[in-house]
Amino acid sequence: MSDVHVDSHVLATLREVMEDEFALLLDTFLTDSDERLRLLREAEAQDDASAMRMAAHSFKGSCSNMGAVLLASLCKQLEDLARREQLDGVAPLLGHIEREFAIVRILFKGERQRHR
């Protein structure tokens, strides 16, 4: 697994702590992340900096907890922009977040397959 996208040490710790619930944790993260992305796009469409900041902050935290380091970093950038109410031009950053999440999704699904 690419440590650029996902910290393998964090995942190893989660696997050890969660044991039989590890696959459920991965599934929950993926489902929850889809919802967070939807909220980010909705906030963008409504030009709602507060909603964008809250959604980006929440997504950043869950990504960080799961070891999705690059995704967490991108969410922090988005959170910072929203905090400064600089929503003009967030579309490219949101696109980058979506592309990075697509990579993380593939990596986590592979991880799930290996640890049934």
Side-chain angles (χ1 to χ4, degrees):
M1 181 169 301
S2 172
D3 280 343
V4 171
H5 301 286
V6 177
D7 184 327
S8 59
H9 297 294
V10 171
L11 271 190
T13 299
L14 289 171
R15 190 179 314 108
E16 184 178 311
V17 169
M18 296 301 294
E19 295 177 345
D20 293 340
E21 299 297 314
F22 182 64
L24 178 61
L25 176 67
L26 293 172
D27 290 344
T28 301
F29 172 77
L30 294 175
T31 300
D32 184 62
S33 296
D34 284 330
E35 176 62 13
R36 292 176 197 277
L37 285 170
R38 187 192 67 74
L39 291 172
L40 289 172
R41 283 297 184 187
E42 186 176 286
E44 177 196 26
Q46 296 176 357
D47 201 32
D48 186 338
S50 179
M52 177 79 69
R53 182 186 54 76
M54 289 187 298
H57 177 79
S58 182
F59 198 14
K60 175 190 71 176
S62 63
C63 292
S64 182
N65 290 340
M66 293 297 294
V69 289
L70 181 54
L71 191 53
S73 174
L74 293 169
C75 289
K76 181 178 182 347
Q77 290 174 40
L78 186 59
E79 178 186 10
D80 291 344
L81 286 175
R83 181 174 286 113
R84 295 190 305 267
E85 297 188 3
Q86 296 175 334
L87 296 188
D88 290 344
V90 297
L93 182 54
L94 276 172
H96 194 176
I97 287 170
E98 289 173 335
R99 288 187 301 278
E100 179 59 21
F101 177 63
I103 293 168
V104 169
R105 177 190 302 277
I106 290 166
L107 293 171
F108 280 5
K109 285 190 175 203
E111 186 71 19
R112 190 184 191 296
Q113 291 297 322
R114 281 188 292 282
H115 297 92
R116 286 184 172 215

